[in-house]
Amino acid sequence: MDQTKRSTIDIDGCKVSYTTCGSGNPILLLHGWGCNATTLASVASIAAKTHTAISVDFPGFGESPEPDAVWGVEEYTRLIEKFVDRLVLQRPSLLGHSFGGRVSILYASRNPVDKVILVDAAGVKPKRPLSYYYKVYSFKLMKRLIMLLYGKRRGQEKIEKMRSGRGSADYASASPRMRAILSRVVNEDLKSVMPDIKAPTLLIWGENDTATPISDARTMERLIPGSGLVSFPGCGHYSFLDNPVQFAAVLSSFLKS
C-alpha cells in the first residue's frame, strides 16, 4: 500500500483537505459528524489494497475550515460533486459512515458511481415521540421569552448556553454555525432518493447502533434496489472499529466482486 498523502484543494473559495493512499479505481471515504478523515484510516487501509482511497475532511471538520453559510446535505453533496470533477475521478465508489452516508446517498442517486458502501449511515429521519415535539415547542417558547427579557445579545448568549446543556454531545461541542448545520441535516429525510441509486450497494451495520438504528438499515435495504445488509451482533455506531476483522473481510470481498 502506498503511503498516505495529505492534500488541499480550493473549491469555490472553500479549502478542502483530503488524504490519498493506494492505487486503482477511486473510492471516496466520507466520515461521520464530529469526525474527520483520520477516523476512517483503518477503512482506507483496507480499501487501498484494491483502490485509490481518498478520504475527505468535510468543511467544518478536521483540517477543512467551516463553510461560510449554514449548509445542508445538498450543499455538502454539491461540494463532493465538484471535488470529483476537479480530481477527474471516473465513476468513483463511495463509502459513507453516519453523516457521510447522507452525502453518499444523495450523490449516488444522481451521479454515476461504481459501488456504494453505507456504514451505520444516516439518511432516514427518525420517528419522533410526542414528548419530542413538546420539548421542541417548549424550547421555542422559552427562546421568545428570554429574548424579550434580556434583549438580543444577552438573550442569544443564554439561549446558546441552554442549547449546549440540552443537546447531544455533538451539538454541545460544535460552533454556533456547525450547530445550525447539525440541526438542519439531522431533519433531512433521504428516503425519496434511495430508489434512484442504481449501483451495487452494501449496508454494513452494528446491531446495537443507537445513533442510526438497524431499523434504518432495513429501510434502506428495502428502498435501494438490489442492496444487501450485513450486520454485526454486539457492535454499535462504529462497526468498523468494534469488529475490524469481520468488517475488513466483508468490505474487501465486496470491493473485489
Side-chain angles (χ1 to χ4, degrees):
M1 186 183 73
D2 297 344
Q3 291 294 316
T4 299
K5 176 186 177 184
R6 182 168 284 279
S7 308
T8 303
I9 187 171
D10 188 295
I11 299 176
D12 296 339
C14 186
K15 294 188 183 301
V16 179
S17 177
Y18 64 99
T19 63
T20 309
C21 60
S23 60
N25 294 332
I27 179 170
L28 281 177
L29 277 58
L30 305 178
H31 63 78
W33 191 271
C35 302
N36 55 57
T38 61
T39 309
L40 296 175
S42 62
V43 180
S45 67
I46 299 163
K49 294 176 182 177
T50 54
H51 288 66
T52 299
I54 304 165
S55 290
V56 177
D57 279 349
F58 282 125
F61 304 95
E63 297 185 20
S64 297
E66 292 183 9
D68 58 5
V70 177
W71 282 13
V73 178
E74 175 65 34
E75 287 80 5
Y76 276 102
T77 304
R78 284 182 197 165
L79 178 98
I80 295 300
E81 288 171 337
K82 292 176 182 179
F83 180 88
V84 169
D85 287 345
R86 288 285 300 277
L87 268 63
V88 197
L89 306 177
Q90 300 296 321
R91 292 182 63 87
S93 293
L94 300 177
L95 185 149
H97 172 245
S98 194
F99 170 71
R102 291 183 184 273
V103 177
S104 298
I105 289 166
L106 187 54
Y107 184 101
S109 74
R110 65 193 193 195
N111 294 282
V113 297
D114 188 38
K115 295 177 181 177
V116 180
I117 305 100
L118 300 175
V119 183
D120 301 296
V124 176
K125 187 175 180 179
K127 293 179 180 178
R128 309 289 194 185
L130 189 61
S131 59
Y132 168 82
Y133 294 100
Y134 175 79
K135 289 179 181 178
V136 168
Y137 289 107
S138 295
F139 185 68
K140 286 184 176 180
L141 176 60
M142 185 65 70
K143 278 172 58 180
R144 293 186 68 180
L145 291 173
I146 288 173
M147 295 297 277
L148 285 171
L149 286 171
Y150 293 97
K152 186 174 181 180
R153 186 178 66 81
R154 286 191 63 206
Q156 197 61 48
E157 290 173 357
K158 288 186 175 293
I159 289 167
E160 285 300 325
K161 187 176 289 187
M162 284 175 60
R163 278 176 171 159
S164 297
R166 290 188 176 197
S168 66
D170 283 340
Y171 188 91
S173 62
S175 70
R177 178 172 294 155
M178 296 308 292
R179 288 176 186 171
I181 290 174
L182 177 59
S183 296
R184 181 176 174 184
V185 300
V186 297
N187 287 304
E188 295 188 51
D189 197 332
L190 299 173
K191 291 199 298 290
S192 64
V193 303
M194 290 177 189
D196 297 328
I197 298 175
K198 306 306 180 189
T201 302
L202 173 64
L203 309 169
I204 307 180
W205 235 263
E207 293 183 6
N208 294 350
D209 191 340
T210 56
T212 52
I214 193 146
S215 58
D216 289 3
R218 296 191 179 107
T219 298
M220 292 180 189
E221 186 181 27
R222 176 172 54 84
L223 293 174
I224 300 173
S227 59
L229 169 63
V230 176
S231 62
F232 298 144
C235 294
H237 191 54
Y238 293 84
S239 57
F240 59 95
L241 298 178
D242 293 341
N243 193 339
V245 175
Q246 281 193 304
F247 182 91
V250 170
L251 178 59
S252 296
S253 176
F254 183 67
L255 290 177
K256 290 175 183 175
S257 63

